Amino acid sequence: MSTCEVERKTSDSFAESSAAFFTIPDPSPPSANPERIITEATFALRIGDAQEITQRVFSHTQDRVTQQDIGEKSAGCMFKNPVGKHAGQLIDEAGLKGFAIGGARVSLKHANFVVNDGTATARDVRAVVEHVKEKIYQFLETK
């Protein structure tokens, strides 16, 4: 028989960078780490100026278009940001932008993205991810 534990989070305790919900737990033993599922959310919205909101949405969209591979096949950001750093910046500093295996490559626009040229296999993507992880560990050791 499965059990379910209810946990309430407030906006103060439920930040993406620190919430236990977003942390992948150690899988052993399995019973010690139940899966977490968000079943309900409540948002407090404010009334704002429609023109100002439209401008902000447009500005954010433009930023995404210039900084990310919009229109290319990818799973979005691939690596978790280490505390106080940005994964994409570290990958860029380590010279890994454009690194490719098969049809998968580190984006030239945003190094935290692995893009698929249409021919990549899951094995290609996994190999790129593992290579990047290994090189970043080496890069950080020498910094």
Side-chain angles (χ1 to χ4, degrees):
M1 179 175 185
S2 296
T3 61
C4 177
E5 195 173 308
V6 175
E7 187 174 349
R8 294 194 182 274
K9 296 281 187 178
T10 65
S11 61
D12 294 337
S13 65
F14 199 66
E16 180 178 350
S17 60
S18 62
F21 182 84
F22 294 99
T23 303
I24 298 171
D26 179 3
S28 56
S31 60
N33 298 301
E35 292 183 30
R36 294 174 177 210
I37 300 170
I38 297 173
T39 59
E40 182 178 313
T42 303
F43 299 93
L45 304 175
R46 295 184 309 242
I47 295 175
D49 178 68
Q51 190 172 10
E52 181 183 321
I53 293 168
T54 300
Q55 179 56 42
R56 285 179 44 207
V57 168
F58 179 78
S59 177
H60 288 301
T61 302
Q62 288 304 108
D63 287 346
R64 287 185 64 219
V65 168
T66 59
Q67 297 170 9
Q68 299 176 9
D69 291 290
I70 304 299
E72 290 209 45
K73 296 173 183 144
S74 84
C77 286
M78 186 63 69
F79 303 95
K80 183 176 178 181
N81 291 329
V83 176
K85 300 187 187 298
H86 294 281
Q89 184 177 2
L90 286 173
I91 295 164
D92 189 12
E93 289 173 7
L96 293 167
K97 271 188 174 179
F99 173 80
I101 295 177
R105 70 172 160 75
V106 176
S107 169
L108 294 169
K109 249 186 183 179
H110 191 308
N112 199 357
F113 283 62
V114 174
V115 295
N116 177 346
D117 70 4
T119 66
T121 63
R123 183 172 287 153
D124 294 341
V125 174
R126 179 71 182 252
V128 168
V129 168
E130 293 305 317
H131 178 82
V132 168
K133 283 182 180 179
E134 181 181 319
K135 293 298 180 184
I136 292 301
Y137 288 130
Q138 292 171 2
F139 176 73
L140 291 174
E141 286 177 355
T142 61
K143 264 187 114 172

